[in-house]
Amino acid sequence: KVASLRSRGSGFEFLWQPPGGVYPPPEYGAEYGPEFATGFDECFPSILAVDYPDAPWKGVAVPDHGEVWSLPWDWCPMDGGVSLAVNGRALPYRLEKTVQMEEDGALLFRYQLRNLGRAPLRWLWSAHPLLNVTQALVVHVPGRPEMKVYESLGDVLGPAGGRHRWPYVGDVDLARPALREPAAEKVFLKGLGEGRVAALYPEIGEGISIEFPPEIVTGIGLWYNLRGWPAESPHCNIGIEPCSEPHESLADCHYALPPDGEADWWMRWTLFSWAADGRAR
């Protein structure tokens, strides 16, 4: 877990923090409940808890939000960052990640996946950063990609499976999430013209740009939790989640890595000031 991402300029904390200030250590296979829904985790090899669909691992249970968020990773420091790796428990793979600060101040995440099994391996990856919400927050996605409703509390966005164009579902503007609450809903964007999305915070004069290769990271999941979940003590955050495919279930994946095959992708986070950078405009 990346627990904190704080601006040295404004002091603003971008990642949602645990309300009680405690990060409980997860056990393997745990449900991704509110006590764990903080900071920035990796979802792999699935988001939805699912039984693997194909032989020779047909029926093998893959936990909620995948398994790597609840597994210990090997790690070592590297120049300007850290190198991490984890082996799958439910399925035979190795996922490696480096996190490194670039010269311009951007934070670069590089991923390498290797299939250690003797059969093709389906896989689904999603970043899972939960960002703090301010009243004027704007979510910026270039163009008007196709948008599919995955779930919506009280069917405010209509039934699951409904198709729309970013950022509107009827008169609901999903680019400006804090204009309404409570809400607990998720949509997926696909057909992206560019591999980037940004969160703009007018109150602090800063924003975060997230870039990725759209030919590999083909979708963006947007999870809006505006005091809608959990019912007892609801959180207020938004998940901006670049993902390899725009859905949650490993059973729906098109990516299948051959035996001993490898896949590589990256993601770049840049914090920018409106006074110094034109991206906010």
Side-chain angles (χ1 to χ4, degrees), residues 25-49:
E27 295 184 0
Y28 177 80
E31 181 180 351
Y32 195 78
E35 69 273 32
F36 302 122
T38 60
F40 171 14
D41 287 302
E42 308 282 351
C43 294
F44 187 91
S46 183
I47 304 175
L48 191 69

Side-chain angles (χ1 to χ4, degrees), residues 38 47 55 61 77 87 101 104 117 123 129 136 156 169 188 191 197-198 206 214 234 243 252 270 272 278:
T38 60
I47 304 175
N87 282 6
M101 190 71 72
D104 63 357
W123 62 277
V156 171
V169 178
F188 280 104
V197 57
E206 292 179 337
C243 49
D252 296 328
T270 305
F272 58 88

Side-chain angles (χ1 to χ4, degrees), residues 5 10 36 41 65-66 72 75 84 111 118-119 126 156 186 206 209 212 232 249 261 263 266 272:
L5 189 65
S10 65
F36 302 122
D41 287 302
H65 281 61
W75 67 277
L84 307 101
Y111 300 87
R118 298 182 178 180
S126 176
V156 171
K186 186 170 185 178
E206 292 179 337
S209 172
F212 48 87
E232 317 78 55
S249 177
W266 55 269
F272 58 88

